[in-house]
Amino acid sequence: MAEAKAPQQRGGYAKEVSGERLAEIGIRFEVDGEIATIALDRPSKRNAQTFATWAALADIGGNLPEQVRIVVVSGEGPSFSAGIDLRMFTPEGVPGQGSFSSAAQLDATTFEQRIRQAQQGFLWLRRPEIVSIAAVQGHAIGAGFQLALACDLRIVADDVKFCMKEPALGLVPDLTGTKPLVELVGLAKAIDICLTARVVEAPEALRIGLAERVVARDDLAGAVQDKIAELLSTNRDAAAATKRLLQGAHARTLEEQAVAEGLEQSQRLKALFGG
Ligand code: ACO
């Protein structure tokens, strides 16, 4: 697969990150036609994430080539991601990126900006123009769980272990994961999962709607490819318009949703038949 070149910018994010810099951070990014793949690639550290990871994700999102319809997020090695780099909890922190104790000294505005920047790495994965798929094996802990939650769909291996560990460490999940979790599993189950920091394994993940599909570990890549083929079989503009409708449905009344459907359909008909 060729690395993306000269992508057209879609968002208002920072500049494009070079492939070399991505490799240093521990991310592989490839674009093949309509499919982009982001692989966390620091398996020896179980794909632990840092602020640099999130900045790079935001840059990828902000520079995603227009032709991309599907974004696959995966992790190399035994774990999808073991969450935030535990060096953040040490006084030394992550070189060049500080620590939690240095972050605690920031004034409120600067701290909020830092969190918002990190969250930009996750939020773009819900854009209507794309469908994002998390391919999750092994541990998806904390920020790893939230990265999987940031995607539209989760296809998981039968050894998956989701865990929202933040409350056990005195923190809250703040990488955009709380809303999708509540929407997927309901408030009571989300409280149970987060406030116990317990592990959710594959059968439960499937049962409560955290995972769309569970497959054997060796079949994960194939299952993702199958889903991609299904998703690419529909019209791209109709797919984006339908995703917009589905995403807005929760906040609208039935009447408002009906109006929104009519407006989107009118655009579709104009595009298909002119007028
Ligand atoms: N940050 C930095 N390094 C990590 C992390 C992490 N989050 N997780 C694992 N590693 C490193 C280990 O230190 C070890 O490095 P070393 O070989 O240099 O000693 C290597 O990855 C392998 O880790 P093991 O623990 O040996 O791997 P194993 O497969 O047995 O266990 C597991 C994997 C369960 C994920 C375990 O590593 C673990 O519990 N990690 C910490 C999870 C965590 O608490 N994350 C923070 C959540 S909160 C948040 O994300 C905001």
Side-chain angles (χ1 to χ4, degrees), residues 42-46 48 78-79 82-87 89 100 139 141-144 146 165-166 169 171 175:
R42 206 156 66 106
S44 65
K45 297 294 175 192
R46 301 297 183 263
S79 301
I84 197 165
D85 194 311
L86 292 176
R87 287 176 298 173
F89 290 90
F100 280 128
H139 289 94
I141 303 179
Q146 294 192 73
K165 196 164 176 188
E166 285 84 343
L169 300 171
L171 302 172
L175 293 167

Side-chain angles (χ1 to χ4, degrees), residues 129-186:
E129 298 80 18
I130 58 169
V131 178
S132 50
I133 305 173
V136 190
Q137 83 287 355
H139 289 94
I141 303 179
F145 190 3
Q146 294 192 73
L147 183 57
L149 285 166
C151 293
D152 294 309
L153 306 175
R154 280 147 296 281
I155 298 179
V156 308
D158 53 11
D159 66 350
V160 79
K161 287 182 171 55
F162 290 112
C163 172
M164 200 67 90
K165 196 164 176 188
E166 285 84 343
L169 300 171
L171 302 172
V172 299
D174 65 351
L175 293 167
T176 79
T178 54
K179 186 173 168 69
L181 182 64
V182 170
E183 287 174 352
L184 284 168
V185 306

Side-chain angles (χ1 to χ4, degrees), residues 65-79:
E66 287 284 342
Q67 81 266 15
V68 171
R69 283 185 68 183
I70 309 289
V71 177
V72 178
V73 180
S74 63
E76 289 298 326
S79 301

Side-chain angles (χ1 to χ4, degrees), residues 257-268:
Q257 183 71 1
V259 171
E261 287 174 2
L263 289 172
E264 288 284 9
Q265 196 69 300
S266 143
Q267 292 303 312
R268 291 280 69 242

